[in-house]
Amino acid sequence: MTDLSEPGSPAPAPAADRAGAAWLDRYTDAVMNTFGTPGRVLVRGQGAHLWDADGKEYTDLLAGIAVNCLGHAHPAIVEAVSTQISTLGHVSNFFTTPAQVRLAEELISLTFPGRPEHDSRVFLANSGTEANEAAFKIARRHGGAGRPRVLALQDAFHGRTMGALALTHKAAYREPFEPLPGGVEFIPAGDTEALRNALGPDVAALIVEPVQGEAGVRELPAGYLEAARELTRTAGALLIVDEVQTGMGRSGAWMAHHLLAPGVVPDVVTLAKGLGGGIPIGAVVATGEAASLLGPGQHGTTFGGNPVACAAALAVIDTIRGQDLLGRVERLGSAWARELLAVDGVDEVRGRGLLIGVGLAAGLPPAGEIAATLAEHGFIVNAPRPDTIRLAPPFILSDDDASAFTTTLSEVLARALSEKAGS
Ligand SMILES: *Cc1c(COP(=O)(O)O)cnc(C)c1O
């Protein structure tokens, strides 16, 4: 009899050292080509380490792009998810669960510390793009037809659904899908005068990333968020801060805007990536008027607020708090940034905490090639731009793993520089 608990029959077993290649062939035949060819076939993770289908080990310095903040197979997440799914795995949004309510309360106090009680509300989604999609709908509800314009920043990345894509700057992502929702205008990032000139009584919202991750880890200049808060308030527009990549401790504070602009209170903050520690979840946290702009029937989701995802997020929050991981992110991040800046071939180190953009010197091979070489040496990183390596490792990365990477990077760059000198 067929055992229904087992997945479909596997393909003929390939030679052990060809297992990855065989999976990649099957991937190409079965999965849409939206991501290009995957770099590796990964089968297992433990802490800050990963193993591929051929048995090779890697240090994970990308954490699923700022997602696995507690690393892989963290006992707190395993325990929380296992307990929740064996108790109650899903309910519709005709109902709620203790996990959902507790997470909403936690997110309000982490995002808006010191705000008056009962002034903030959360909408739970499943991803960053959905969190921003909901924020966009909040912006549309704000001022209605009288405020048709929404401002976003050049080089911004806010996601891939049609609304979030309309807020995303890169032409190659947008143009194949036009017409997109209208009214979005892009202004230069960090330029207060441009913002002042663009704002008016017809603007519903400004959306910003405190550190533009996909643009190569580029932090907004000092004073910009403060000015943006002042100018949007004067114009009656909402300030939406996209903390999908930077939030939940990655910067060394719960929210990057708490570090960059203490005292600035946005109307809306969006979260995802690290929030569930690897379980898909996103959130919109809004305060003041923005917290009640979406009413019954105006937005929804089947999976949003799922108790398993909420339990994972609660475990992430408890662990970060209980083990002072914010302090760890801050200390390791700043020490590592100094180490990396001393490497020959590194021009610049940008970012905050454990979201680090390593700017490569001119004349080196493209960062994508360097990233591929680093993977050969057992380090997973990525290249958001041709001149930048991005590091977004688990918060539990050891000092030794961080230093081992610095050593390998300096060897890889030294070789590249000497090849260039020799050519
Ligand atoms: C990754 C990201 C998104 C999109 O999140 P998804 O979960 O991939 O949909 C949105 N905004 C920022 C700043 C991001 O880094």
Side-chain angles (χ1 to χ4, degrees):
M1 226 178 85
T2 316
D3 178 355
L4 293 178
S5 68
E6 285 299 309
S9 58
D17 64 342
R18 294 270 310 140
W23 282 115
L24 286 178
D25 285 346
R26 288 169 65 179
Y27 175 98
T28 305
D29 288 341
V31 180
M32 281 191 198
N33 185 26
T34 56
F35 301 103
T37 306
R40 294 289 189 280
V41 179
L42 300 172
V43 295
R44 190 165 74 85
Q46 184 64 54
H49 294 257
L50 285 165
W51 285 264
D52 73 14
D54 300 318
K56 184 175 166 64
E57 181 177 348
Y58 303 86
T59 303
D60 185 4
L61 302 182
L62 191 58
I65 312 188
V67 168
N68 302 294
C69 53
L70 303 185
H72 300 275
H74 192 284
I77 296 181
V78 171
E79 159 70 21
V81 165
S82 308
T83 302
Q84 185 62 53
I85 200 158
S86 57
T87 308
L88 182 64
H90 179 77
V91 298
S92 73
N93 279 309
F94 299 125
F95 305 96
T96 187
T97 60
Q100 185 182 78
V101 176
R102 283 179 53 216
L103 179 61
E105 291 171 350
E106 284 278 21
L107 291 180
I108 288 169
S109 64
L110 295 181
T111 309
F112 297 120
R115 287 286 294 162
E117 245 185 289
H118 310 308
D119 208 29
S120 309
R121 298 283 185 279
V122 173
F123 178 83
L124 292 168
N126 311 289
S127 65
T129 198
E130 284 172 78
N132 287 327
E133 197 75 25
F136 197 165
K137 286 179 77 171
I138 291 173
R140 282 283 199 255
R141 289 283 298 133
H142 177 67
R147 292 184 180 271
R149 296 169 61 217
V150 173
L151 304 179
L153 301 185
Q154 290 175 5
D155 293 325
F157 182 84
H158 297 296
R160 304 288 205 147
T161 54
M162 295 301 253
L165 187 57
L167 302 168
T168 291
H169 186 234
K170 197 170 177 171
Y173 292 170
R174 305 160 46 81
E175 282 169 1
F177 303 100
E178 288 172 346
L180 294 167
V184 180
E185 293 163 37
F186 295 95
I187 55 177
D191 182 338
T192 306
E193 268 322 294
L195 174 59
R196 193 191 310 275
N197 293 335
L199 276 167
D202 56 350
V203 173
L206 164 71
I207 181 166
V208 302
E209 298 155 87
V211 180
Q212 293 187 315
E214 299 309 300
V217 190
R218 305 201 159 266
E219 183 173 315
L220 289 174
Y224 184 78
L225 276 170
E226 287 88 342
R229 177 66 286 182
E230 217 29 62
L231 292 169
T232 48
R233 183 176 287 126
T234 306
L238 300 178
L239 175 62
I240 303 171
V241 176
D242 178 344
E243 293 260 15
V244 166
Q245 186 159 161
T246 51
M248 298 312 293
R250 180 141 301 275
S251 68
W254 282 110
M255 304 292 148
H257 75 268
H258 294 171
L259 274 185
L260 267 58
V264 162
V265 181
D267 299 285
V268 179
V269 173
T270 56
L271 300 169
K273 290 205 165 95
L275 175 56
I279 299 292
I281 182 170
V284 184
V285 194
T287 196
E289 183 220 352
S292 51
L293 285 173
L294 292 179
Q298 290 184 336
H299 199 45
T301 159
T302 296
F303 289 118
N306 168 279
V308 177
C310 291
L314 286 166
V316 165
I317 293 167
D318 281 351
T319 305
I320 290 175
R321 204 185 266 137
Q323 301 185 357
D324 184 29
L325 290 180
L326 297 183
R328 162 127 201 95
V329 168
E330 204 284 315
R331 283 188 303 276
L332 174 58
S334 45
W336 203 16
R338 277 193 301 277
E339 243 183 63
L340 290 163
L341 191 55
V343 169
D344 235 9
V346 171
D347 250 9
E348 194 182 26
V349 177
R350 301 183 297 269
R352 292 272 174 148
L354 287 178
L355 179 59
I356 299 176
V358 180
L360 301 179
L364 279 167
E369 266 176 47
I370 301 284
T373 307
L374 289 165
E376 289 300 320
H377 286 82
F379 292 96
I380 307 256
V381 303
N382 96 314
R385 286 165 48 106
D387 63 356
T388 302
I389 298 280
R390 172 172 46 188
L391 308 175
F395 302 169
I396 49 124
L397 184 76
S398 70
D399 294 356
D400 286 353
D401 277 341
S403 295
F405 172 73
T406 311
T407 304
T408 299
L409 179 69
S410 64
E411 288 163 8
V412 166
L413 295 186
R415 200 166 313 129
L417 288 167
S418 75
E419 273 162 21
K420 178 190 152 204
S423 67

